[in-house]
Amino acid sequence: MRIGLGADHAGCALKVALSAHLASQGHEVVDYGTFDPDVSVDYPDFARAVSLAVASGSVDLGVLVCGTGIGMSIAANKVPGIRAALVHDVTTARLARLHNGANVVCMGARLLAPALAIECLDWFLAESFEVRHQRRLDKIAAIEKDSAS
Ligand code: RB5
């Protein structure tokens, strides 16, 4: 898969670990930054870049990391077509795909150990959307449409 990654300064080190793991699994990684953990940056800039790449189809899925994952998920979900899920464990990572058809996964580098974050990411990539939940995704898309007019 072609996977877009983004992080702020708080998530930068975890992003590097996730990126190396994805590459070792044969995925193509597109890194949207940030690249220096010592320079404070604003997470919406990276959420925007990755989410637009996912929404346009230039990458298949997105991965966003900040301190808690909260800011990234809020910002990413502002982009039409994005279903960004903040995950904390294997269960939320799996259900984000199975039930919610999430196309972006967000994680908190200050909350998750790198090994658990990698495990969450592996499960997020391994699972697929269960079509029995499509009606709910259609309703989410309808909210997006209503809000745009
Ligand atoms: C940056 O200090 C921090 O606010 C950010 O990484 C994130 O946790 C926001 O949700």
Side-chain angles (χ1 to χ4, degrees):
M1 261 189 264
R2 189 170 154 87
I3 300 171
L5 267 75
D8 70 356
H9 52 286
C12 190
L14 180 56
K15 173 174 68 68
V16 169
L18 296 174
S19 175
H21 177 72
L22 289 170
S24 79
Q25 301 293 302
H27 295 289
E28 187 185 348
V29 174
V30 184
D31 192 335
Y32 292 87
T34 191
F35 299 102
D36 186 345
D38 297 324
V39 177
S40 180
V41 292
D42 300 330
Y43 58 81
D45 296 335
F46 305 93
R48 183 177 194 275
V50 170
S51 298
L52 290 175
V54 173
S56 71
S58 67
V59 297
D60 299 308
L61 291 171
V63 180
L64 290 169
V65 190
C66 63
T68 59
I70 295 171
M72 284 296 197
S73 58
I74 292 171
N77 279 312
K78 298 296 180 190
V79 175
I82 293 303
R83 293 179 300 278
L86 174 56
V87 309
H88 300 291
D89 51 31
V90 165
T91 302
T92 49
R94 296 185 67 197
L95 289 174
R97 290 287 284 158
L98 289 165
H99 288 197
N100 309 110
N103 48 16
V104 173
V105 62
C106 303
M107 291 189 271
R110 291 175 176 153
L111 305 175
L112 290 184
L116 179 55
I118 286 171
E119 200 182 350
C120 289
L121 181 55
D122 281 346
W123 276 109
F124 184 82
L125 297 177
E127 299 291 14
S128 305
F129 180 60
E130 291 175 344
V131 286
R132 66 194 170 95
H133 295 283
Q134 184 60 49
R135 190 175 70 247
R136 288 91 186 216
L137 297 202
D138 293 342
K139 290 189 176 186
I140 293 171
I143 296 171
E144 233 170 43
K145 204 170 158 208
D146 292 348
S147 311
S149 55

